[in-house]
Amino acid sequence: MAEQAILSYLETHEEIADSGNFAAECGIDHAEIVNAIKSLHGFLYVESQDIKKETWVLTDEGKRYAAEGSPEVQLFLAVPAEGSIAKDELQKKFDPAIFKIGCSQAGKNKWVEMGRQVSRKVVQVEDKVKDLLLKIQKGQVIGQADINSLKARKLIVLQTWKGYSVRKGPSYAPQREKFATDLTRENLQSGDWETLKFKAYNFNAKGPPSECGHLHPLNKMKDCIKRIFRMMGFEEMATNRYVESSFWNFDALFQPQQHPARDSHDTFFLKTPSTTMQLPEDYVERVKQVHESGGYGSRGYNYEWKREEANKNLLRTHTTAISSRMLYKLAQDTKQNGFTPKKYFSIDRVFRNEAVDRTHLAEFHQIEGLICDRGLTLGHLIGVLEDFFKRLGMSNLRFKPAYNPYTEPSMEIFSYHEGFGKWVEIGNSGMFRPEMLQPMGFPEDVRVIAWGLSLERPTMILYGIDNIRDLFGHRVDLDLIKKSPLCLIGIK
């Protein structure tokens, strides 16, 4: 209807000067006229020019004052012409907002004497504010000073109206010509295909973007690190056990039961099921003995080891819990078939009851590698670490002595960060203690070297992210996932 009204009007007239007036004359909503103009302009039936009008309109507060009068005049009229009225009594006659504004403006205009008693200082007043608001409502012009005054009191706002002026275009016709987009069976049967005009095919038009998945930066980094481990001959451990018993997470690793890490402030313990009932009893007994009284060259911790503590279920605090299970299984195979050297790695989530900030989360990923062989030394560990981190692009390493309950000796690993201009801790490492390995059943000359690091820290450095919550969690920017570059670590 709007489109036909425009085309018919232009057939006998040179121009539609104002689309707003045209819509009012035709009795058609202006939005429909605008949509029709845009469509016709796209097909060159018409040419259009933008029209922009700015007018002042009343706010809701302004409309109320135009109908009821300004607050200052309302307050003035409520004060007796002779005598006075108590301020508390006067306040009861008005809405709190009207009373506050009325007192302020009437006092500023010196119309009333304000105190405990309120009295008039002039005989009569003119409601200039109401008069100005009524003029604006009628579309009349007022002075700039008056506009500024009303605007300051938020009684008027500037409203922008947009419309079009319209003329005939190069393809103008009184009736829009319809083009067919498909040749149908009905066209062939009726024979009208001979007279049909088909819409031109746009060979330059782009098709809709294909929807596809995108790898998260953490997954890209994980894949690259897995590739490095496999190039170094490592075998991946199964990491699908998020819930672990305290025994495999702590006790089997020669970590004492009174250690601070086993407190609920650092570890998530499960309510249901709260305990495990499936532990290798003969191995549990050997672990208990080495904790209480030592053995294998150790004095132990000299405390009463409690089975109920070892049975508690928790969310694993490190992937070393997986390593303890794998090493125990390897030790049992050694008893039956003889010792076979192994190289294992794992990359998966761990959970710690930590306060969340820009560098810490309660859930994060840990990378762990270990080598089990005869006669391994600290020198072998340093050599493997240098090879591993060189493949990660970190060739400048330093090592610092450290303490871990299940490794001795232990080392923190530092790398020089060119961007930060300082040495940055990138991981922890060590040799598993005999008190951990020999109760499993390994021969005395078998050693295990191991190291671990987080997945998030190198990913943040690579992608220039300074807040871990922007990488992992509900604040992740989906555009980061779609546009993140290829991870080049380990690719040569």
Side-chain angles (χ1 to χ4, degrees), residues 337-350:
N337 306 313
F339 176 71
T340 302
K342 287 288 185 180
K343 293 192 283 188
Y344 294 122
F345 80 93
S346 64
I347 307 174
D348 212 335
R349 299 185 187 189
V350 296

Side-chain angles (χ1 to χ4, degrees), residues 389-429:
F389 283 102
K390 184 177 181 181
R391 295 170 188 261
L392 284 175
M394 305 176 189
S395 57
N396 198 357
L397 300 182
R398 281 183 181 175
F399 305 97
K400 175 184 174 183
Y403 169 75
N404 292 316
Y406 44 89
T407 58
E408 179 59 38
S410 306
M411 300 185 303
E412 291 175 346
I413 311 164
F414 290 81
S415 175
Y416 188 78
H417 193 290
E418 296 291 345
F420 295 158
K422 64 178 181 179
W423 291 89
V424 178
E425 183 183 351
I426 55 173
N428 211 323
S429 65

Side-chain angles (χ1 to χ4, degrees), residues 1 31 34 67 117 142 190 223 278 306 420 425 458 470 480:
M1 181 178 178
V34 168
Q117 294 291 122
I142 65 173
S190 63
D223 290 343
Q278 299 177 352
K306 295 180 180 179
F420 295 158
E425 183 183 351
D470 294 332
L480 169 69

Side-chain angles (χ1 to χ4, degrees), residues 142-150:
I142 65 173
Q144 188 61 45
D146 293 328
I147 287 176
N148 293 341
S149 175
L150 296 176

